[in-house]
Structures are given as C-alpha cells and as structure tokens.
Amino acid sequence: MLDVATGEVLASKSATTPLIPASNTKTLTTLAVMNAFDGEERFATTVVQPEPGRIVIVGSGDPTLLSVPAKAGTYPRPATTQDLAARTAEALKQAGQTSVTLGFDATWFEEPGWNATWPANYRDQVTQLSALWVDEGKLPAGGRSRTPALDAAKTFAAQLTANGITVTGEPTPATGSGDEVARVESLPLHVLVETAMNRSNNSYTEVLGLQLARHVGQPTTFAGSVAAIRAELTELGVWDEGTVLHDASGLSRSNLVTANMLAKAMLLLDSQPHLSVILDGLPTAGVTGTLADRFTDDISSPARGVARAKTGTLSLVSSLAGTTITDDGRLVSFAFIINGPPDGWASKVWADQATGVVASCGCS
C-alpha cells in the first residue's frame, strides 16, 4: 500500500514476489499505452482502389469496429462497416462503378493471432487477433472467428450489395494500395483504453499492445508487444526484477508480476492527469462493473463507493489493485495478488475485506 501523494510505503508483505496477476496485467498494458501515446489518436478502416473495378478494405487495428451501429443511448459508439459501405457505395456510384471485386488487407499487424501460452479452451475469452475484424470477431451463431479479417470482408461485401454495389466472387487477401475511396475512424485511443479496462476485454487489450509495439518501432507480435510494455514501464520506474510477460491481457498463466508494480501503477494513474483516463475504466467497489456484487460484508463495506479497482481472475488466481480514500482522507494505492487459494471466492472476499480495512483506517 502506497501513499499517492508522497509514494511512501504504508504497508507491505511479499510485495516484490512475482506472482500470476491475471487480468491486472491490463493495468500495466494500458499504463504503458497511455504513456507512449497522446490519447487522441484514431485508427482508420479504409477502402482503397488499386485499379478500376477492384477495391480493398484495409484494417489498421480498430478493436471496437462494429458491423452495425450500437444501440441508441449506449456508450461508446464505435465506427461501423455499415457506414463505411454506404460511403464506399456513394463514391463508387459517383465514379460510374456498380460492380467490383473485393480484397482485404490485415497486414497492419504481423502477429498471426494466437499466443503459444494460451490453451485452446480460451477461445471463448479472446479472439484470434487481427488488424481487421468486426464485432470483435464474434460470430452471429456464437463463438469467435478464427478468420476474423475474411469474415469482416464478407460482412462488408454484403453491406455493399445492400447499397447497390455488386461484389463479384469471394473476398481475397490483397495489398491495400491506390486511391482512398472511403474511411471510418476509431474512437480516440483514450476511449479505447477506458473501454478495454471497463469491460476487462482481452481482445481489445491485446490489440492495444500491438498498437503500442507498432508505435514505438517494435515488431507487431506478442514478443514485440511485451518488449514495448516493458520499455514504457521501465521508463516510468514501475518494472520490477523477475517480472515476466507473455501477453498484454493477462490470460497467460506464465505472466509474473509483483504487487509492488501494480500499486506503483495505480499511484501513477491517480497522480498524473494524462494517465487518469485509465481510472475512468475502473469499477467502483460495490457499485459498478466487476465489483458491483462485491464488498457486501461489514469488514469490506467501508470501501463501497470509495475504492476503485481492477480485478484479476484465473483458476487458482485472484488479484485486486486500485486506489481508495482512507478514513482520515489519505489517498492510497493498493494491490493484492493471491495465487493457489483452495477457495477462489474466499480469496476475493479476503481482498475485499483487506481493501475495506484500508479504507476504514487512519493511516497518517
């Protein structure tokens, strides 16, 4: 536990022992991303025309791209291929073209899309990574696509057809070159980060890791993503000796980080305005998100509505890291990582109660 204003260590036990953090890896990834970017960047999905009668849809890693608009009143409202198809059809008709063949280009990332440390049964938790997908690669009939770029292109082809453009043949891989016909752009990066954290979305966070790798000149692979995250965290003074990362989302059971790292990360998020957008994506204890149904007993309840924290859960792994105001008005950051508990629910209750004790203490 750290004092956010001074950095003073208020309490510590085994804080530098590397342990499996589960989804709290996302805290480190998003911190690294926001440290490297301005936060206003957007990632475009474009349609280009290498030659008359031929168009190519090109992805540049918008993780939130949808096929159709989100329901009215929902937040956020990402770009859609429906909009892109309408714009493309209008431009083609103005050029006197009503029939095309369609290619797709997802080479913005080199990564073939599946981490070697993820078991096959995680395919319901994360999509095969791609620089081009719609609806996070989730299939209408259920499950997740293993060919998300191809499926996105097929969706786009159907939408072009609905807009009066005949698409001849099946979409094929292609190089995106030629004049731009139409484009849609992602939400600003800071909103993508907020959304990834709020939903604890594995696919979104892995794409953000690849975007970070590309931005800083690393290969757009899992190894490049991890190298980029390490470099940013080292610059911030957060990286601890013995830390091991294999992915950006925390699905890998081979990841090892320290509670000290997570507490330092949370301190930075609550003390630096540029990074504080990540806090906007954290649930409030007993109120929102993954913490809505927690902090219900007398010991943990002092943290209800006060603490904001990121959870992490895998089999035999539980973590909780965040910030809270203590009873005497002190802002502190905290992190708990529990590995190997025989009772997963009991470990969550323990972390909630520890947070409640911190919130109710006079720590001055």
Side-chain angles (χ1 to χ4, degrees), residues 40-305:
E40 296 299 327
E41 294 86 350
R42 296 173 185 259
F43 307 108
T45 306
T46 61
V47 175
V48 297
Q49 187 157 46
E51 59 187 4
R54 173 73 168 166
I55 60 172
V56 180
I57 181 171
V58 183
S60 62
D62 177 0
T64 60
L65 183 67
L66 297 178
S67 55
V68 296
K71 293 180 180 179
T74 60
Y75 174 84
R77 295 186 64 78
T80 71
T81 53
Q82 183 181 88
D83 184 20
L84 183 61
R87 297 182 187 191
T88 301
E90 181 181 2
L92 289 173
K93 289 175 184 177
Q94 287 179 356
Q97 301 178 57
T98 58
S99 179
V100 295
T101 59
L102 176 63
F104 61 91
D105 186 343
T107 59
W108 187 258
F109 299 146
E110 304 165 50
E111 179 53 55
W114 193 257
N115 194 295
T117 65
W118 295 344
N121 63 0
Y122 279 13
R123 288 195 178 273
D124 64 338
Q125 300 294 317
V126 63
T127 303
Q128 188 97 9
L129 299 186
S130 174
L132 175 63
W133 65 34
V134 292
D135 306 326
E136 200 189 326
K138 294 178 180 178
L139 300 171
R144 296 174 185 251
S145 173
R146 298 195 186 189
T147 55
L150 172 60
D151 289 337
K154 288 180 176 179
T155 296
F156 182 63
Q159 291 169 330
L160 283 174
T161 300
N163 278 274
I165 301 296
T166 300
V167 179
T168 304
E170 290 290 307
T172 56
T175 299
S177 62
D179 294 337
E180 183 175 300
V181 176
R183 72 162 44 208
V184 292
E185 295 187 341
S186 75
L187 301 161
L189 178 64
H190 70 87
V191 179
L192 299 180
V193 166
E194 176 192 346
T195 304
M197 286 293 279
N198 183 262
R199 300 178 184 178
S200 195
N201 188 292
N202 298 310
S203 305
Y204 291 3
T205 309
E206 292 296 346
V207 168
L208 291 174
L210 294 176
Q211 294 285 20
L212 173 63
R214 183 180 176 95
H215 182 68
V216 301
Q218 289 283 352
T220 50
T221 61
F222 285 110
S225 170
V226 167
I229 293 168
R230 175 172 183 164
E232 296 301 318
L233 296 181
T234 299
E235 177 185 300
L236 289 166
V238 171
W239 189 268
D240 277 348
E241 183 178 354
T243 301
V244 178
L245 290 182
H246 289 273
D247 67 13
S249 64
L251 282 175
S252 176
R253 299 185 68 88
S254 298
N255 291 344
L256 296 172
V257 308
T258 69
N260 179 58
M261 289 178 67
L262 294 178
K264 281 185 176 180
M266 288 297 176
L267 181 153
L268 289 172
L269 300 187
D270 220 328
S271 60
Q272 297 191 18
H274 176 62
L275 302 174
S276 63
V277 62
I278 301 172
L279 288 177
D280 294 338
L282 296 184
T284 301
V287 179
T288 61
T290 54
L291 297 180
D293 297 326
R294 293 173 56 170
F295 295 84
T296 56
D297 61 78
D298 290 343
I299 299 175
S300 63
S301 63
R304 287 180 65 88

